[in-house]
Amino acid sequence: MNRFKKVLVANRGEIAVRIIRCLKEMGILSVAVYSDADRDALHTQLSDETVYIGKPEPLKSYLNIPGIIDAARSTQCQAIHPGYGFLAENPNFADACKYANIVFIGPSSKSMAVMGDKVKARRCAADVGVPVIPGIDFPTCDVEEFIRQASTIELPFLIKAAGGGGGKGMRLVRDRPELEVQAKIAIKEAEAAFGDGRIYAEKYLQKPRHIEFQTLSDKHGNSVHLYERECSVQRRFQKLLEESPSPAISQGQRQRMAEDTLKIIKASEYEGAGTVEFLYIDDSHYYFLEMNTRIQVEHPVTEMVTGIDLLRAQVNIAQNEILPFSQDDIPLSGHAIEARIYAEDPLNDFAASPGRIIHLQWPNGPGVRIDEGIHHGSDVPVFYDPILAKIIVHGQKREHAISRMKEALNQTRILGVQTTAYFLSKLINSPEFKEGLMDITLLETIKDKINIIKPEILPIALAFAGYMAKSDSPDSQARSKQVDNAASYNPWNTIGAWEIVKGAK
Amino acid sequence: MRQLYFKHNVTVHDVKLEYKDEELKIITLDGVEHNISFRKLQNQEFEVFYNKDKHRVLVKKEGKKHHLWIDGESIILEQAERSVTTEKRASQRIIIAPIPGILHLKVKDGEQVNQDQVVAIIESMKMQNEILAPHAGMISLLCQTTVEMINAGEKLMEIIQD
């Protein structure tokens, strides 16, 4: 097969930037797509060409399959990279690419369809002898049928939707009497979210760790794993900190889980980059959770410890190349950690914080990598995922990586939107994280302890705001023309105004 | 001497600045004097001495909003015009959008609602943020029902108590 000359990147934000930079390195031209909300976005400024694909709402732009296929056709792209999210795990999109004679950089629609269905993926894992979470795997949308099946599972258990994830249709059942009500709600939620009301049930695991294995498979039957990532620091089923290797598992355990991972990869005839996720309790209790059939947000930690560029590998596999390394060639060197910088306000229950970036300064230094999707002056729109950037560090040992990350986060200055940067700096410095004692409930447990504004912050802030407001006085405006009109409006320059307010109690 | 008000979250603080020969001498915050001094560094940053400890501060102004980065923590202060009491009274009756996003109204003009009933959902960055009624009463809409996008701080509705 010929090498790609031009590739369309069907995504936005940091992953689109990452893909475009990789394509540049490989000497491949890139085409960025953008919605009305992303006219000045960083990814549109770095690509060789750009194509406008519609209104800001994802359904009218980044999720619009015909629109994206047309964009690739009109720019003569040989392939499309879907990134993560949006269309990355949509078998219909992979098929649409095939019909348009465009290479989809990812697995076949067939293995995507199998591994994307939670229940089919469970069965696939169980069939090759990989432990799955005890449960029932004949999904149904009939409440009575479900209750009959559920009588065999130990309490507490989780009701889950067969059609999709993200917490939708997920209900925790602690007592038998509440089963019927919870099942009804779950079916309704699943129907509303996925148009598929089928539910199944899995035992509820107390305080598991989230450990996942990265894999690469070419189209010639070769598969390798690239060790694990631990992603136990999460909130609302969304990861915040990831690292490789996991501080929890032994070399022997790593070997066993890696073998299980490759069994699933072989059984699903998987091609490309893929991740097999496990919930881990201890060395004798770990369970297959699900498979992600795409590049993942946290892929850089694996790149840092193995030295392998996963994006480049994805493109090469799609170009039909043979994997240039075997399992024994893949090193696991040092320790890497990733912190996700979200436009969210940790002090306000992680509420979304869209807006305009009015100041931006990234950290720098040995072993520090930034995968960013924003620039100074960027608008962070309300329509998309809140991820702004990722900071990734590498150190010889875990403790080095931790201190390096803490310093990197403290060097980061983002103003205009609230971000997770400082929260993560405090979290990474907590005794629990430092000792590697985490599970997926850690963030919830320690967030109130971390989320305390130091008493000196407010006085300093007020003093500075007062000082800055003072520089708006008429004399200083005369001296400096840089102050804009909006900023220069100061009601306190008009004498006496505050006395009226004072009287109006 | 100059007096200013700044809002942080829902609380309004008062700041008094006393100058002598163009130089800031005394800062009084909410009636308490603080000993703060600073010197300007490069990159619009300041080195601040407060209670003998050294801090790093970055300030950016955008309209009435002051965005501050202090030793890693970032906070937003908004210059306020009204006294504390007026702010509080207004916020109890009028529901304002806490964050920008796509507005989905869940009530109609004139509708009777109960306390904690969901009156609107603001969809922002793939998250659904429910807005609850702080008390029971009758809805009087203060926003266009056709408008989809709203900004933080925009008035959504008033709940008139019986």
Side-chain angles (χ1 to χ4, degrees), chain A residues 187-494:
Chain A
I187 291 169
K188 229 182 232 170
E189 275 186 4
E191 248 163 27
F194 314 113
D196 175 359
R198 292 173 310 133
I199 52 169
Y200 68 105
E202 276 178 0
K203 183 176 153 55
Y204 177 67
L205 300 176
Q206 308 279 354
K207 302 192 168 192
R209 285 171 183 260
H210 177 115
I211 295 177
E212 58 187 33
F213 277 73
Q214 176 69 51
T215 67
L216 284 174
S217 308
D218 64 21
K219 298 184 180 185
H220 308 276
N222 305 302
S223 296
V224 293
H225 72 83
L226 293 94
Y227 310 103
E228 79 281 7
R229 293 184 287 259
E230 171 150 2
C231 322
S232 296
V233 180
Q234 315 183 347
R235 57 103 188 63
R236 293 198 290 251
F237 306 103
Q238 208 166 21
K239 298 159 188 167
L240 273 172
L241 285 175
E242 300 97 344
E243 62 184 304
S244 182
S246 161
I249 63 174
S250 63
Q251 182 53 35
Q253 184 63 10
R254 173 172 301 120
Q255 195 53 41
R256 277 192 293 279
M257 291 174 83
E259 279 165 16
D260 280 350
T261 296
L262 289 175
K263 278 188 213 163
I264 294 170
I265 293 294
K266 293 279 179 205
S268 59
E269 296 171 23
Y270 194 79
E271 289 168 5
T275 298
V276 175
E277 298 188 332
F278 296 95
L279 289 181
Y280 172 93
I281 307 288
D282 56 47
D283 273 7
S284 41
H285 298 89
Y286 66 90
Y287 307 95
F288 169 75
L289 177 65
E290 62 179 45
M291 180 165 178
N292 288 314
T293 59
R294 53 170 158 83
I295 194 73
Q296 283 191 276
V297 179
E298 60 272 25
H299 75 273
V301 291
T302 299
E303 297 183 324
M304 298 290 258
V305 291
T306 61
I308 290 170
D309 184 333
L310 290 168
L311 261 305
R312 182 184 277 262
Q314 276 193 304
V315 175
N316 282 334
I317 290 167
Q319 292 182 131
N320 228 0
E321 287 176 25
I322 294 169
L323 281 181
F325 36 73
S326 62
Q327 191 63 60
D328 294 341
D329 300 332
I330 302 170
L332 176 59
S333 159
H335 200 98
I337 304 177
E338 172 181 278
R340 296 192 188 186
I341 310 302
Y342 284 114
E344 288 178 2
D345 186 359
L347 294 168
N348 190 10
D349 200 24
F350 294 95
S353 180
R356 173 170 294 212
I357 306 293
I358 57 170
H359 185 87
L360 181 63
Q361 194 183 324
W362 294 118
N364 204 343
V368 178
R369 163 177 166 180
I370 312 296
D371 279 21
E372 84 277 29
I374 51 166
H375 56 82
H376 182 99
S378 276
D379 275 315
V380 180
V382 300
F383 302 98
Y384 314 115
D385 194 275
I387 197 159
L388 300 176
K390 304 173 311 204
I391 297 175
I392 310 102
V393 299
H394 184 260
Q396 281 309 305
K397 288 187 171 153
R398 188 171 186 267
E399 61 195 84
H400 301 152
I402 288 176
S403 49
R404 187 160 274 173
M405 178 61 91
K406 185 175 168 260
E407 188 49 31
L409 288 166
N410 290 348
Q411 278 178 31
T412 305
R413 284 135 167 83
I414 302 172
L415 290 183
V417 300
Q418 296 297 96
T419 77
T420 47
Y422 191 54
F423 176 85
L424 290 177
S425 141
K426 290 186 282 186
L427 201 154
I428 208 165
N429 211 32
S430 68
E432 291 88 345
F433 187 84
K434 277 184 164 171
E435 283 159 37
L437 300 172
M438 60 274 200
D439 59 65
I440 61 172
T441 66
L442 173 71
L443 190 132
E444 209 46 52
T445 322
I446 70 167
K447 82 172 180 209
D448 292 340
K449 205 162 72 185
I450 289 175
N451 256 335
I452 292 165
I453 300 187
K454 281 188 248 151
E456 65 269 27
I457 299 291
L458 194 60
I460 295 174
L462 287 169
F464 262 85
Y467 173 74
M468 293 298 280
K470 152 79 181 166
S471 63
D472 288 343
S473 66
D475 328 346
S476 59
Q477 273 179 52
R479 269 181 260 127
S480 159
K481 292 261 180 203
Q482 287 173 323
V483 185
D484 64 58
N485 284 334
S488 66
Y489 171 71
N490 183 345
W492 309 108
N493 289 339
T494 46

Side-chain angles (χ1 to χ4, degrees), chain A residues 22-238:
Chain A
C22 173
L23 293 170
K24 270 186 203 290
E25 279 183 31
M26 297 180 79
I28 299 169
L29 295 172
S30 57
V31 177
V33 292
Y34 65 96
S35 72
D36 282 314
D38 279 338
R39 289 192 174 274
D40 299 316
L42 184 59
H43 72 285
T44 67
Q45 300 181 5
L46 297 176
S47 64
D48 294 293
E49 290 175 49
T50 54
V51 180
Y52 168 72
I53 49 164
K55 293 212 160 74
E57 295 85 344
L59 277 172
K60 292 172 181 164
S61 49
Y62 298 102
L63 287 174
N64 177 4
I65 295 178
I68 286 175
I69 297 283
D70 280 351
R73 272 209 186 115
S74 67
T75 49
Q76 288 98 44
C77 287
Q78 291 91 41
I80 295 180
H81 197 304
Y84 55 70
F86 293 127
L87 296 168
E89 288 173 285
N90 184 330
N92 297 332
F93 182 58
D95 278 337
C97 289
K98 201 159 79 184
Y99 295 136
N101 207 16
I102 294 167
V103 177
F104 173 83
I105 301 179
S108 66
S109 61
K110 193 180 135 218
S111 48
M112 211 189 287
V114 172
M115 298 318 282
D117 181 306
K118 299 205 159 214
V119 176
K120 282 184 192 158
R122 245 178 89 88
R123 280 199 210 126
C124 171
D127 285 349
V128 292
V130 176
V132 295
I133 302 168
I136 50 167
D137 49 9
F138 295 97
T140 171
C141 46
D142 181 308
V143 179
E144 279 171 26
E145 168 63 21
F146 178 77
I147 292 172
R148 208 172 311 128
Q149 288 190 41
S151 63
T152 57
I153 322 178
E154 219 180 295
L155 284 165
F157 61 82
L158 272 178
I159 303 176
K160 288 180 158 185
K168 300 267 164 58
M170 204 186 278
R171 311 297 297 190
L172 177 60
V173 181
R174 292 191 183 274
D175 294 302
R176 297 273 166 207
E178 62 185 64
L179 175 56
E180 186 175 341
V181 178
Q182 296 293 357
K184 278 181 182 162
I185 298 173
I187 291 169
K188 229 182 232 170
E189 275 186 4
E191 248 163 27
F194 314 113
D196 175 359
R198 292 173 310 133
I199 52 169
Y200 68 105
E202 276 178 0
K203 183 176 153 55
Y204 177 67
L205 300 176
Q206 308 279 354
K207 302 192 168 192
R209 285 171 183 260
H210 177 115
I211 295 177
E212 58 187 33
F213 277 73
Q214 176 69 51
T215 67
L216 284 174
S217 308
D218 64 21
K219 298 184 180 185
H220 308 276
N222 305 302
S223 296
V224 293
H225 72 83
L226 293 94
Y227 310 103
E228 79 281 7
R229 293 184 287 259
E230 171 150 2
C231 322
S232 296
V233 180
Q234 315 183 347
R235 57 103 188 63
R236 293 198 290 251
F237 306 103
Q238 208 166 21

